[in-house]
Amino acid sequence: VRPRPRAPAALVVLATLATWFVHSSLSIVLLVMSFAGSGLVEPKLALALVIGANIGGALAPYMAQAGAEAEARRVPLANLITRGIVGLVILPFLGPVLQALTWLDPSTTRLAVNFHTAFNFAAAVFFLPLIDVVAWVCQRLLPSRPVADDPGKPRHLDPNVLDSPAEALGCALRETLNLGDRVADML
């Protein structure tokens, strides 16, 4: 008799790390599917492993962007946040979720794949209305670097005054004087 783990949270972490290692949530879900179908993993624990596979599938792209600019890391962070929140919300309710899934399809072999689909559908339905909130959170967590003032950028030209020739010429005159000052400084 082999002992069976009873801690779904530990299995979520294990599956998250395994998925990050192989960089493929689908391969881990299919592995869990084969384990559940052969009876190596209890159905409830298979769901916990699928949650970990979904979180690990979002962790891999975020970690791959570790050295990139903040703007490039925001989308993978948003994906990681949404999958993490959905996983944490579903984790305490694995029993009722298992009952609902077995009511739809009693096959333990397809349980992991059906839950994987339901997990992603739930994430989309729940977070699509919250895109602006998640974007705001990601922007707060990963702020952009301050942009250095570009000395070659025009300072006095205003495209809003093109309809008024006198104001447009005044802006052009100020910009010309500014450029003259910069040339004098360089000399």
Side-chain angles (χ1 to χ4, degrees):
V1 173
R2 68 186 186 296
R4 292 182 186 237
R6 301 274 185 231
L11 289 177
V12 169
V13 173
L14 177 71
T16 299
L17 294 173
T19 305
W20 171 74
F21 183 71
V22 298
H23 284 62
S24 173
S25 62
L26 185 58
S27 64
I28 297 298
V29 169
L30 293 175
L31 182 66
V32 170
M33 181 181 88
S34 67
F35 287 168
S38 65
L40 289 174
V41 175
E42 295 175 9
K44 186 176 176 181
L45 298 179
L47 299 184
L49 289 168
V50 172
I51 289 173
N54 277 287
I55 295 171
L59 182 63
Y62 180 71
M63 297 299 286
Q65 295 291 329
E69 294 291 325
E71 293 82 4
R73 293 177 19 220
R74 286 186 192 137
V75 172
L77 177 63
N79 188 25
L80 182 60
I81 288 171
T82 58
R83 289 175 185 266
I85 289 173
V86 171
L88 288 175
V89 167
I90 292 176
L91 191 60
F93 304 104
L94 289 180
V97 170
L98 178 62
Q99 289 175 350
L101 287 172
T102 53
W103 180 75
L104 291 172
D105 186 1
S107 169
T108 56
T109 304
R110 291 198 37 84
L111 178 68
V113 173
N114 290 340
F115 181 63
H116 179 63
T117 303
F119 182 96
N120 287 294
F121 183 74
V125 166
F126 184 74
F127 278 101
L128 274 176
L130 301 173
I131 287 176
D132 291 333
V133 174
V134 174
W136 179 81
V137 168
C138 290
Q139 200 164 19
R140 289 293 210 184
L141 291 173
L142 295 172
S144 299
R145 290 184 183 162
V147 178
D149 193 22
D150 184 9
K153 187 175 180 181
R155 296 177 190 266
H156 302 288
L157 298 180
D158 186 3
N160 297 325
V161 298
L162 291 177
D163 294 336
S164 173
E167 288 182 54
L169 284 173
C171 288
L173 177 64
R174 281 191 295 278
E175 187 63 32
T176 304
L177 291 173
N178 182 37
L179 288 174
D181 290 342
R182 290 186 39 223
V183 168
D185 290 342
M186 286 188 277
L187 288 176

